[in-house]
Amino acid sequence: MPNIGGRPATVAVDDIVRAGRELGMRRLSVKAVAVRLGVTATALYRHVDGRWGLERLVGESILAELRLRDDPRHGLERHLLSFALQMRGFMLEHPGLAGYLQLLFPRGDGGQRLLNTEVDALVRRGYEPGAAIVLSGAVASMTIAMTVSEENSAAAEEADGDGLDRERQAVRDRLSRDDRLAEPSAALPQVPRPEYVRLLLTASIRGLVGSCPPGRPVAEMVADLAATGEGL
């Protein structure tokens, strides 16, 4: 509890990081950290620039622990899939981190280190640094967005699992009554969520590599893609 009647309680940056990580990114706030440390919010503001500074401090502390493995035997598509799955696994281990990354990346040393690591891996596979930034950023953005969706589904399940099950059944019932969709939807394979994510990432990565192969200038790729969607 806050110190009453004596000198104001003090707090160090390491204390803030520890308390923030204990709370987790989903529950992180200046007020929550202050309560956990038994100090006032003012004591935290001496070390962090409000909510944004607190998020960056704790988020980058977590990211510092992520070490991307690059198997030199992997070709381009397999490497990018491994990159995406490593990011996804780490984010799922740290709920709320995906939302932190989705807002803005890189926001600090941890994110910048990861970006440099992946750019270096793509340069070794024939890309210019600019194209490597574009490609790695696209794969990372897709992976982050899919992980945020997974976390939202998990949160809904935790909040009202029975209600979500009813909604899912309602969707299945609706499809079963549709003359056009009933038969083909019933014949679709039931793919577990992790495998579905892997398949979707693989297909997306294949498309990205097709649009941005090693050696192709970024400006040419952008012009080609823009032309495809011209007038839409």
Side-chain angles (χ1 to χ4, degrees):
M1 297 297 294
N3 188 9
I4 299 175
R7 297 181 60 187
T10 59
V11 63
V13 171
D14 288 347
D15 298 321
I16 297 173
V17 172
R18 173 180 54 78
R21 294 189 57 151
E22 290 171 355
L23 285 165
M25 295 298 293
R26 292 181 71 92
R27 296 187 295 156
L28 187 65
S29 70
V30 172
K31 180 179 179 180
V33 172
V35 169
R36 195 172 191 88
L37 292 175
V39 299
T40 64
T42 302
L44 266 62
Y45 287 134
R46 297 190 183 100
H47 300 285
V48 298
D49 183 17
R51 177 173 68 90
W52 299 103
L54 177 62
E55 283 186 356
R56 185 169 60 252
L57 182 66
V58 178
E60 296 303 312
S61 168
I62 296 171
L63 280 177
E65 297 178 356
L66 174 56
R67 293 291 183 271
L68 295 172
R69 302 180 302 278
D70 177 17
D71 190 331
R73 298 170 299 177
H74 287 172
L76 182 55
E77 289 185 11
R78 190 171 181 84
H79 163 76
L80 286 169
L81 179 61
S82 175
F83 164 59
L85 293 176
Q86 287 179 67
M87 281 195 66
R88 172 181 175 271
F90 188 81
M91 287 185 290
L92 290 176
E93 290 175 0
H94 299 85
L97 182 63
Y100 167 78
L101 294 173
Q102 189 178 42
L103 183 63
L104 187 64
F105 180 83
R107 290 170 66 178
D109 291 342
Q112 190 168 336
R113 175 185 59 79
L114 292 177
L115 181 58
N116 270 300
T117 298
E118 182 55 19
V119 167
D120 288 343
L122 292 178
V123 168
R124 288 193 292 270
R125 289 170 171 82
Y127 281 90
E128 294 296 322
I133 292 173
V134 170
L135 185 57
S136 60
V139 173
S141 294
M142 287 189 307
T143 305
I144 292 166
M146 293 172 68
T147 306
V148 168
S149 176
E150 286 187 80
E151 288 191 348
N152 290 340
S153 295
E157 185 82 46
E158 183 178 348
D160 186 7
D162 291 339
L164 185 58
D165 285 341
R166 288 194 297 271
E167 290 296 307
R168 288 170 176 158
Q169 186 59 49
V171 172
R172 290 190 287 267
D173 293 342
R174 176 181 294 275
L175 290 174
S176 70
R177 295 191 298 268
D178 189 291
D179 293 338
R180 181 178 179 82
L181 301 178
E183 186 174 346
S185 62
L188 291 175
Q190 299 299 309
V191 181
R193 178 75 183 206
E195 184 60 21
Y196 173 76
V197 169
R198 177 189 291 267
L199 293 174
L200 188 56
L201 283 170
T202 300
S204 301
I205 287 168
R206 189 164 295 171
L208 285 168
V209 170
S211 296
C212 185
R216 188 179 194 188
V218 173
E220 180 182 311
M221 174 196 68
V222 172
D224 181 41
L225 293 173
T228 301
E230 189 172 345
L232 297 179

